[in-house]
Amino acid sequence: MKTFLLVALSFCASILLKAQTPQEIVDSIKIELSKNPLDERKVKLLGDATWYYSMISADSSRVYGLQSLEFAKKIEDSVAIAQAYNDLGIAEYVAGNNTESMSYYERALKLRRALKDTMGVASVYGKVANIYFKQTLFDSATKYYIDAIKIYEDRGQEQLAARLRGNVGAIKMEMQDYESALEYYKDNEIFFQQFGDSQFLANTYINTGNVYVKQKIETKAIENLEKGLAMAERIGYLPSVAASINNLAVIYNDRQEFKKAKDLILKGLAIRQSNQAALDIASSQLSLGIAHLGLEEYKKGEKELTEALSVFKREGKLDQIALTYEALTRTAYGQEDWQKAEKYLTDYIIASQAFSQKQTLSEVTEMETKYQTEKKENQILEQRAQLAENELSIRRKNNLIYGAIAVAVLLGLLGYLVYNQQRLKNRQLKKESELQTALAKIETQNRLQEQRLRISRDLHDNIGSQLTFIISSLDTLKYGLKDADSNVTDKLSDIAHFTKTTINELRDTIWAMNKEEITFEDLQSRISNFIDSARKAASDVAFKFNIDGDIDKQYAFTSVEGINLYRVIQESVNNGLKYAFAKAASNKEISVNIHQEPSQFRINIIDNGQGFDTGQPALGNGLNNMKKRIKDVNGDLTILSIDYSGTKVEFTIPKTV
């Protein structure tokens, strides 16, 4: 059971820890404050105290942050007020209060934009991304990190950009793209060594260790975690000290070296209790409870786990709740309290299901937020169009007034004016009719979109959660049957892998369902992710993905065109992996190429395998399905396969003007 922590989430501070520990700096700030400096100087000192106390005590950090905000408002300094909101956001983030932290960041961001403080905006972007990361909203987190990185790179702030690139690496690790995560951390390790940035170098070592933990490479995991621990202790950066200690303890728990794990956890727990960060304390208590369980100290383990559980429940951490209930179940079994064990096991199953449903709901919520944003933008455009129509109507009425005056002066033009007025009325009626038709069309589209969202929610909430429950149940069953025949456990693993694949297919379908249009950029990203997955599954095959450079990234396919194009590429690559290299071959290669022509897109998938007979019954259904998908979007598909020379699948999709 693993409950290790990431520590690479950068606050993008401009002050580096080199010579003094945070406590030493805080002590020197207090001495300066005792001299009762001018308000401008006092605001700066209080802000610095807020920042450095965030590494020592969340409560003290909050107190100094509120004092800094009070004095900044007193001297009416907008820059200082923005910085105070920023520092208070950090204090609340460290304390685990995400809602309060986000509120302070939003106020800081509003002021930074008004002040045209680009660097300040980038700093807040990075902190907002940290909160989204903590809430597992990886798409939103990545967007804010990338926006901040672009600003820093444009301003030549490579050190700050590198810190945030480390956070993108953390997202890659959470998404199980471990190779990409290690590439980010290796680049940052070299960079921070050159700059002498000890704090972030320590974090890089710790997160590199965490990747190796997930890959089950314990020797490298321990080596990197111990490097990070030694460096964090040397500079006095207590959050990283506590995190590395806890993560090492998790490894020792997994290795059943429970005494060693227990001693480490107690050391880290003392640090976290001094900082009063409830969630971090609870995480250490969970690890300590597992260590007690391994040492058969069931009463002590139950006490630590129960205290941790109350914090996880208060903070709504469903994944940690499930882990804690699972450990409590084993604690109850160890005490032969069967009734309590049964209750904990039931609670564990319920918490696991709730966590799976929450993950699904988070994804749907993010999609709904995007949809609502687009909907509001469309409403604004409609309102602007209506204002323009009203202005046009006013102009027309003015013309009628002027015409009436002209009629009074020039009676001879009366007939013409009457005719002209009637013509304007007819035009107005025609416009009103067109407007009614447009409104009806929009209403129909909204109903269709609502129906799509309802269907996607049902798929997520019902089928998705049921599939996830199956995976969880299979894992539990494998744990219970750990001494069973290997054929049984292998079969259970195969079923779990198939279920996970089904979930990915379901997510692809829902991705297309929730979009009326799919941009080329979205499709490119989806195809790239699929090819990355295929590359990991078939490491002996060289994959290439080539796209014409002049293709407009914002070109929009319909949802049907987008999903059919994606599915045909997916099916072609899978067929290549299944059939092209059935016999041993060297230099195995599959390439996906997308070309833009004046009136169409041309896509081909080419392998250098052994080829096949396109008339084989075993392959007929798959090829027919591919042809039908392309036909449905008014395209053409051809397949050329030559024995021992490879296969080329090529299809076209018309471009809309």
PDB file of all heavy atoms in Angstrom, residues 570-599:
ATOM      1  N   GLN A 570      -6.768   4.180 -35.072  1.00  0.00           N
ATOM      2  CA  GLN A 570      -6.569   3.255 -33.953  1.00  0.00           C
ATOM      3  C   GLN A 570      -6.657   1.796 -34.429  1.00  0.00           C
ATOM      4  O   GLN A 570      -5.805   0.966 -34.101  1.00  0.00           O
ATOM      5  CB  GLN A 570      -7.630   3.547 -32.883  1.00  0.00           C
ATOM      6  CG  GLN A 570      -7.452   2.784 -31.580  1.00  0.00           C
ATOM      7  CD  GLN A 570      -8.557   3.124 -30.591  1.00  0.00           C
ATOM      8  OE1 GLN A 570      -9.729   3.115 -30.949  1.00  0.00           O
ATOM      9  NE2 GLN A 570      -8.180   3.417 -29.363  1.00  0.00           N
ATOM     10  N   GLU A 571      -7.692   1.497 -35.241  1.00  0.00           N
ATOM     11  CA  GLU A 571      -7.888   0.133 -35.731  1.00  0.00           C
ATOM     12  C   GLU A 571      -6.740  -0.276 -36.650  1.00  0.00           C
ATOM     13  O   GLU A 571      -6.256  -1.405 -36.602  1.00  0.00           O
ATOM     14  CB  GLU A 571      -9.228   0.048 -36.479  1.00  0.00           C
ATOM     15  CG  GLU A 571      -9.561  -1.317 -37.059  1.00  0.00           C
ATOM     16  CD  GLU A 571      -9.881  -2.351 -35.990  1.00  0.00           C
ATOM     17  OE1 GLU A 571     -10.074  -1.940 -34.825  1.00  0.00           O
ATOM     18  OE2 GLU A 571      -9.915  -3.551 -36.320  1.00  0.00           O
ATOM     19  N   SER A 572      -6.270   0.660 -37.513  1.00  0.00           N
ATOM     20  CA  SER A 572      -5.189   0.340 -38.446  1.00  0.00           C
ATOM     21  C   SER A 572      -3.894   0.030 -37.699  1.00  0.00           C
ATOM     22  O   SER A 572      -3.190  -0.929 -38.034  1.00  0.00           O
ATOM     23  CB  SER A 572      -4.979   1.516 -39.406  1.00  0.00           C
ATOM     24  OG  SER A 572      -6.133   1.782 -40.155  1.00  0.00           O
ATOM     25  N   VAL A 573      -3.578   0.855 -36.673  1.00  0.00           N
ATOM     26  CA  VAL A 573      -2.360   0.605 -35.896  1.00  0.00           C
ATOM     27  C   VAL A 573      -2.459  -0.718 -35.144  1.00  0.00           C
ATOM     28  O   VAL A 573      -1.518  -1.520 -35.123  1.00  0.00           O
ATOM     29  CB  VAL A 573      -2.096   1.773 -34.921  1.00  0.00           C
ATOM     30  CG1 VAL A 573      -0.948   1.431 -33.983  1.00  0.00           C
ATOM     31  CG2 VAL A 573      -1.779   3.049 -35.689  1.00  0.00           C
ATOM     32  N   ASN A 574      -3.627  -0.964 -34.543  1.00  0.00           N
ATOM     33  CA  ASN A 574      -3.813  -2.234 -33.813  1.00  0.00           C
ATOM     34  C   ASN A 574      -3.696  -3.428 -34.749  1.00  0.00           C
ATOM     35  O   ASN A 574      -3.107  -4.457 -34.408  1.00  0.00           O
ATOM     36  CB  ASN A 574      -5.167  -2.240 -33.118  1.00  0.00           C
ATOM     37  CG  ASN A 574      -5.183  -1.345 -31.901  1.00  0.00           C
ATOM     38  OD1 ASN A 574      -4.131  -1.085 -31.308  1.00  0.00           O
ATOM     39  ND2 ASN A 574      -6.337  -0.860 -31.506  1.00  0.00           N
ATOM     40  N   ASN A 575      -4.283  -3.326 -35.974  1.00  0.00           N
ATOM     41  CA  ASN A 575      -4.156  -4.413 -36.947  1.00  0.00           C
ATOM     42  C   ASN A 575      -2.693  -4.635 -37.302  1.00  0.00           C
ATOM     43  O   ASN A 575      -2.242  -5.776 -37.463  1.00  0.00           O
ATOM     44  CB  ASN A 575      -4.955  -4.093 -38.202  1.00  0.00           C
ATOM     45  CG  ASN A 575      -6.447  -4.299 -38.002  1.00  0.00           C
ATOM     46  OD1 ASN A 575      -6.862  -4.966 -37.039  1.00  0.00           O
ATOM     47  ND2 ASN A 575      -7.269  -3.748 -38.874  1.00  0.00           N
ATOM     48  N   GLY A 576      -1.951  -3.522 -37.480  1.00  0.00           N
ATOM     49  CA  GLY A 576      -0.531  -3.659 -37.780  1.00  0.00           C
ATOM     50  C   GLY A 576       0.214  -4.407 -36.688  1.00  0.00           C
ATOM     51  O   GLY A 576       1.033  -5.287 -36.963  1.00  0.00           O
ATOM     52  N   LEU A 577      -0.085  -4.067 -35.419  1.00  0.00           N
ATOM     53  CA  LEU A 577       0.579  -4.742 -34.298  1.00  0.00           C
ATOM     54  C   LEU A 577       0.182  -6.213 -34.207  1.00  0.00           C
ATOM     55  O   LEU A 577       0.990  -7.073 -33.851  1.00  0.00           O
ATOM     56  CB  LEU A 577       0.238  -4.025 -32.991  1.00  0.00           C
ATOM     57  CG  LEU A 577       0.820  -2.616 -32.831  1.00  0.00           C
ATOM     58  CD1 LEU A 577       0.308  -1.984 -31.559  1.00  0.00           C
ATOM     59  CD2 LEU A 577       2.337  -2.654 -32.804  1.00  0.00           C
ATOM     60  N   LYS A 578      -1.096  -6.501 -34.537  1.00  0.00           N
ATOM     61  CA  LYS A 578      -1.581  -7.886 -34.427  1.00  0.00           C
ATOM     62  C   LYS A 578      -1.046  -8.784 -35.544  1.00  0.00           C
ATOM     63  O   LYS A 578      -0.657  -9.929 -35.307  1.00  0.00           O
ATOM     64  CB  LYS A 578      -3.103  -7.907 -34.472  1.00  0.00           C
ATOM     65  CG  LYS A 578      -3.777  -7.390 -33.228  1.00  0.00           C
ATOM     66  CD  LYS A 578      -5.285  -7.466 -33.397  1.00  0.00           C
ATOM     67  CE  LYS A 578      -6.018  -6.891 -32.196  1.00  0.00           C
ATOM     68  NZ  LYS A 578      -7.488  -6.912 -32.382  1.00  0.00           N
ATOM     69  N   TYR A 579      -1.072  -8.265 -36.782  1.00  0.00           N
ATOM     70  CA  TYR A 579      -0.851  -9.140 -37.930  1.00  0.00           C
ATOM     71  C   TYR A 579       0.441  -8.868 -38.691  1.00  0.00           C
ATOM     72  O   TYR A 579       1.001  -9.774 -39.308  1.00  0.00           O
ATOM     73  CB  TYR A 579      -2.019  -9.003 -38.911  1.00  0.00           C
ATOM     74  CG  TYR A 579      -3.360  -9.241 -38.273  1.00  0.00           C
ATOM     75  CD1 TYR A 579      -4.292  -8.218 -38.166  1.00  0.00           C
ATOM     76  CD2 TYR A 579      -3.696 -10.493 -37.755  1.00  0.00           C
ATOM     77  CE1 TYR A 579      -5.527  -8.430 -37.574  1.00  0.00           C
ATOM     78  CE2 TYR A 579      -4.933 -10.713 -37.162  1.00  0.00           C
ATOM     79  CZ  TYR A 579      -5.847  -9.680 -37.064  1.00  0.00           C
ATOM     80  OH  TYR A 579      -7.065  -9.881 -36.493  1.00  0.00           O
ATOM     81  N   ALA A 580       0.919  -7.610 -38.697  1.00  0.00           N
ATOM     82  CA  ALA A 580       2.036  -7.280 -39.591  1.00  0.00           C
ATOM     83  C   ALA A 580       3.326  -7.983 -39.203  1.00  0.00           C
ATOM     84  O   ALA A 580       4.115  -8.367 -40.050  1.00  0.00           O
ATOM     85  CB  ALA A 580       2.262  -5.768 -39.611  1.00  0.00           C
ATOM     86  N   PHE A 581       3.543  -8.155 -37.874  1.00  0.00           N
ATOM     87  CA  PHE A 581       4.824  -8.690 -37.416  1.00  0.00           C
ATOM     88  C   PHE A 581       4.652 -10.043 -36.738  1.00  0.00           C
ATOM     89  O   PHE A 581       5.259 -10.325 -35.729  1.00  0.00           O
ATOM     90  CB  PHE A 581       5.492  -7.688 -36.478  1.00  0.00           C
ATOM     91  CG  PHE A 581       5.551  -6.302 -37.042  1.00  0.00           C
ATOM     92  CD1 PHE A 581       4.811  -5.293 -36.464  1.00  0.00           C
ATOM     93  CD2 PHE A 581       6.312  -6.023 -38.157  1.00  0.00           C
ATOM     94  CE1 PHE A 581       4.850  -4.019 -36.981  1.00  0.00           C
ATOM     95  CE2 PHE A 581       6.354  -4.761 -38.681  1.00  0.00           C
ATOM     96  CZ  PHE A 581       5.619  -3.746 -38.096  1.00  0.00           C
ATOM     97  N   ALA A 582       3.758 -10.852 -37.293  1.00  0.00           N
ATOM     98  CA  ALA A 582       3.525 -12.176 -36.709  1.00  0.00           C
ATOM     99  C   ALA A 582       4.793 -13.013 -36.753  1.00  0.00           C
ATOM    100  O   ALA A 582       5.041 -13.844 -35.894  1.00  0.00           O
ATOM    101  CB  ALA A 582       2.396 -12.891 -37.443  1.00  0.00           C
ATOM    102  N   LYS A 583       5.597 -12.791 -37.791  1.00  0.00           N
ATOM    103  CA  LYS A 583       6.879 -13.485 -37.887  1.00  0.00           C
ATOM    104  C   LYS A 583       7.994 -12.548 -37.443  1.00  0.00           C
ATOM    105  O   LYS A 583       7.849 -11.345 -37.512  1.00  0.00           O
ATOM    106  CB  LYS A 583       7.119 -13.951 -39.322  1.00  0.00           C
ATOM    107  CG  LYS A 583       6.080 -14.975 -39.803  1.00  0.00           C
ATOM    108  CD  LYS A 583       6.370 -15.425 -41.206  1.00  0.00           C
ATOM    109  CE  LYS A 583       5.333 -16.449 -41.685  1.00  0.00           C
ATOM    110  NZ  LYS A 583       5.597 -16.895 -43.066  1.00  0.00           N
ATOM    111  N   ALA A 584       9.117 -13.158 -37.029  1.00  0.00           N
ATOM    112  CA  ALA A 584      10.223 -12.319 -36.554  1.00  0.00           C
ATOM    113  C   ALA A 584      10.688 -11.386 -37.655  1.00  0.00           C
ATOM    114  O   ALA A 584      10.779 -11.758 -38.813  1.00  0.00           O
ATOM    115  CB  ALA A 584      11.376 -13.210 -36.089  1.00  0.00           C
ATOM    116  N   ALA A 585      10.925 -10.163 -37.307  1.00  0.00           N
ATOM    117  CA  ALA A 585      11.376  -9.172 -38.300  1.00  0.00           C
ATOM    118  C   ALA A 585      12.214  -8.126 -37.594  1.00  0.00           C
ATOM    119  O   ALA A 585      12.013  -7.843 -36.427  1.00  0.00           O
ATOM    120  CB  ALA A 585      10.189  -8.525 -38.990  1.00  0.00           C
ATOM    121  N   SER A 586      13.157  -7.546 -38.318  1.00  0.00           N
ATOM    122  CA  SER A 586      13.966  -6.461 -37.764  1.00  0.00           C
ATOM    123  C   SER A 586      13.485  -5.143 -38.339  1.00  0.00           C
ATOM    124  O   SER A 586      12.783  -5.107 -39.353  1.00  0.00           O
ATOM    125  CB  SER A 586      15.445  -6.687 -38.102  1.00  0.00           C
ATOM    126  OG  SER A 586      15.609  -6.714 -39.500  1.00  0.00           O
ATOM    127  N   ASN A 587      13.875  -4.066 -37.688  1.00  0.00           N
ATOM    128  CA  ASN A 587      13.477  -2.723 -38.149  1.00  0.00           C
ATOM    129  C   ASN A 587      11.969  -2.601 -38.310  1.00  0.00           C
ATOM    130  O   ASN A 587      11.465  -2.107 -39.321  1.00  0.00           O
ATOM    131  CB  ASN A 587      14.181  -2.386 -39.462  1.00  0.00           C
ATOM    132  CG  ASN A 587      15.687  -2.406 -39.331  1.00  0.00           C
ATOM    133  OD1 ASN A 587      16.225  -1.974 -38.298  1.00  0.00           O
ATOM    134  ND2 ASN A 587      16.372  -2.908 -40.341  1.00  0.00           N
ATOM    135  N   LYS A 588      11.217  -3.078 -37.339  1.00  0.00           N
ATOM    136  CA  LYS A 588       9.750  -2.979 -37.404  1.00  0.00           C
ATOM    137  C   LYS A 588       9.332  -1.516 -37.298  1.00  0.00           C
ATOM    138  O   LYS A 588       9.820  -0.797 -36.437  1.00  0.00           O
ATOM    139  CB  LYS A 588       9.111  -3.775 -36.272  1.00  0.00           C
ATOM    140  CG  LYS A 588       9.477  -5.251 -36.281  1.00  0.00           C
ATOM    141  CD  LYS A 588       8.897  -5.956 -35.056  1.00  0.00           C
ATOM    142  CE  LYS A 588       9.308  -7.414 -35.015  1.00  0.00           C
ATOM    143  NZ  LYS A 588       8.779  -8.088 -33.809  1.00  0.00           N
ATOM    144  N   GLU A 589       8.428  -1.101 -38.155  1.00  0.00           N
ATOM    145  CA  GLU A 589       8.050   0.311 -38.172  1.00  0.00           C
ATOM    146  C   GLU A 589       6.593   0.483 -38.567  1.00  0.00           C
ATOM    147  O   GLU A 589       6.097  -0.197 -39.457  1.00  0.00           O
ATOM    148  CB  GLU A 589       8.943   1.066 -39.159  1.00  0.00           C
ATOM    149  CG  GLU A 589       8.644   2.553 -39.261  1.00  0.00           C
ATOM    150  CD  GLU A 589       9.597   3.257 -40.190  1.00  0.00           C
ATOM    151  OE1 GLU A 589      10.804   3.237 -39.928  1.00  0.00           O
ATOM    152  OE2 GLU A 589       9.120   3.802 -41.208  1.00  0.00           O
ATOM    153  N   ILE A 590       5.904   1.377 -37.868  1.00  0.00           N
ATOM    154  CA  ILE A 590       4.544   1.775 -38.226  1.00  0.00           C
ATOM    155  C   ILE A 590       4.517   3.302 -38.221  1.00  0.00           C
ATOM    156  O   ILE A 590       4.916   3.935 -37.240  1.00  0.00           O
ATOM    157  CB  ILE A 590       3.495   1.234 -37.244  1.00  0.00           C
ATOM    158  CG1 ILE A 590       3.438  -0.293 -37.306  1.00  0.00           C
ATOM    159  CG2 ILE A 590       2.117   1.807 -37.557  1.00  0.00           C
ATOM    160  CD1 ILE A 590       2.461  -0.908 -36.315  1.00  0.00           C
ATOM    161  N   SER A 591       4.055   3.889 -39.321  1.00  0.00           N
ATOM    162  CA  SER A 591       3.990   5.349 -39.388  1.00  0.00           C
ATOM    163  C   SER A 591       2.565   5.797 -39.673  1.00  0.00           C
ATOM    164  O   SER A 591       1.835   5.153 -40.423  1.00  0.00           O
ATOM    165  CB  SER A 591       4.942   5.880 -40.471  1.00  0.00           C
ATOM    166  OG  SER A 591       4.530   5.442 -41.751  1.00  0.00           O
ATOM    167  N   VAL A 592       2.185   6.909 -39.021  1.00  0.00           N
ATOM    168  CA  VAL A 592       0.883   7.544 -39.246  1.00  0.00           C
ATOM    169  C   VAL A 592       1.167   8.929 -39.834  1.00  0.00           C
ATOM    170  O   VAL A 592       1.887   9.731 -39.225  1.00  0.00           O
ATOM    171  CB  VAL A 592       0.091   7.667 -37.930  1.00  0.00           C
ATOM    172  CG1 VAL A 592      -1.233   8.386 -38.194  1.00  0.00           C
ATOM    173  CG2 VAL A 592      -0.162   6.300 -37.328  1.00  0.00           C
ATOM    174  N   ASN A 593       0.627   9.221 -41.007  1.00  0.00           N
ATOM    175  CA  ASN A 593       0.932  10.455 -41.714  1.00  0.00           C
ATOM    176  C   ASN A 593      -0.362  11.185 -42.075  1.00  0.00           C
ATOM    177  O   ASN A 593      -1.300  10.582 -42.604  1.00  0.00           O
ATOM    178  CB  ASN A 593       1.713  10.158 -42.999  1.00  0.00           C
ATOM    179  CG  ASN A 593       2.929   9.267 -42.738  1.00  0.00           C
ATOM    180  OD1 ASN A 593       3.890   9.704 -42.139  1.00  0.00           O
ATOM    181  ND2 ASN A 593       2.861   8.008 -43.159  1.00  0.00           N
ATOM    182  N   ILE A 594      -0.417  12.490 -41.781  1.00  0.00           N
ATOM    183  CA  ILE A 594      -1.595  13.303 -42.089  1.00  0.00           C
ATOM    184  C   ILE A 594      -1.154  14.448 -43.003  1.00  0.00           C
ATOM    185  O   ILE A 594      -0.283  15.251 -42.639  1.00  0.00           O
ATOM    186  CB  ILE A 594      -2.240  13.859 -40.809  1.00  0.00           C
ATOM    187  CG1 ILE A 594      -2.667  12.708 -39.881  1.00  0.00           C
ATOM    188  CG2 ILE A 594      -3.452  14.718 -41.159  1.00  0.00           C
ATOM    189  CD1 ILE A 594      -3.284  13.165 -38.581  1.00  0.00           C
ATOM    190  N   HIS A 595      -1.747  14.487 -44.209  1.00  0.00           N
ATOM    191  CA  HIS A 595      -1.402  15.503 -45.197  1.00  0.00           C
ATOM    192  C   HIS A 595      -2.633  16.357 -45.504  1.00  0.00           C
ATOM    193  O   HIS A 595      -3.769  15.863 -45.501  1.00  0.00           O
ATOM    194  CB  HIS A 595      -0.900  14.852 -46.486  1.00  0.00           C
ATOM    195  CG  HIS A 595       0.247  13.912 -46.274  1.00  0.00           C
ATOM    196  ND1 HIS A 595       1.518  14.336 -45.921  1.00  0.00           N
ATOM    197  CD2 HIS A 595       0.312  12.556 -46.324  1.00  0.00           C
ATOM    198  CE1 HIS A 595       2.317  13.293 -45.792  1.00  0.00           C
ATOM    199  NE2 HIS A 595       1.618  12.184 -46.025  1.00  0.00           N
ATOM    200  N   GLN A 596      -2.373  17.631 -45.792  1.00  0.00           N
ATOM    201  CA  GLN A 596      -3.458  18.541 -46.163  1.00  0.00           C
ATOM    202  C   GLN A 596      -3.377  18.845 -47.656  1.00  0.00           C
ATOM    203  O   GLN A 596      -2.330  19.225 -48.168  1.00  0.00           O
ATOM    204  CB  GLN A 596      -3.347  19.840 -45.366  1.00  0.00           C
ATOM    205  CG  GLN A 596      -4.429  20.857 -45.724  1.00  0.00           C
ATOM    206  CD  GLN A 596      -4.338  22.092 -44.840  1.00  0.00           C
ATOM    207  OE1 GLN A 596      -5.185  22.339 -44.014  1.00  0.00           O
ATOM    208  NE2 GLN A 596      -3.287  22.862 -45.032  1.00  0.00           N
ATOM    209  N   GLU A 597      -4.512  18.642 -48.341  1.00  0.00           N
ATOM    210  CA  GLU A 597      -4.641  18.978 -49.744  1.00  0.00           C
ATOM    211  C   GLU A 597      -5.681  20.080 -49.881  1.00  0.00           C
ATOM    212  O   GLU A 597      -6.411  20.369 -48.917  1.00  0.00           O
ATOM    213  CB  GLU A 597      -5.018  17.732 -50.542  1.00  0.00           C
ATOM    214  CG  GLU A 597      -3.930  16.651 -50.459  1.00  0.00           C
ATOM    215  CD  GLU A 597      -4.305  15.365 -51.188  1.00  0.00           C
ATOM    216  OE1 GLU A 597      -5.426  15.303 -51.754  1.00  0.00           O
ATOM    217  OE2 GLU A 597      -3.489  14.437 -51.186  1.00  0.00           O
ATOM    218  N   PRO A 598      -5.772  20.730 -51.052  1.00  0.00           N
ATOM    219  CA  PRO A 598      -6.687  21.877 -51.164  1.00  0.00           C
ATOM    220  C   PRO A 598      -8.114  21.603 -50.719  1.00  0.00           C
ATOM    221  O   PRO A 598      -8.743  22.452 -50.097  1.00  0.00           O
ATOM    222  CB  PRO A 598      -6.620  22.215 -52.671  1.00  0.00           C
ATOM    223  CG  PRO A 598      -5.257  21.753 -53.088  1.00  0.00           C
ATOM    224  CD  PRO A 598      -4.976  20.522 -52.288  1.00  0.00           C
ATOM    225  N   SER A 599      -8.638  20.415 -51.019  1.00  0.00           N
ATOM    226  CA  SER A 599     -10.049  20.141 -50.719  1.00  0.00           C
ATOM    227  C   SER A 599     -10.263  18.993 -49.761  1.00  0.00           C
ATOM    228  O   SER A 599     -11.404  18.627 -49.476  1.00  0.00           O
ATOM    229  CB  SER A 599     -10.805  19.849 -52.027  1.00  0.00           C
ATOM    230  OG  SER A 599     -10.262  18.686 -52.651  1.00  0.00           O
TER     231      SER A 599
END
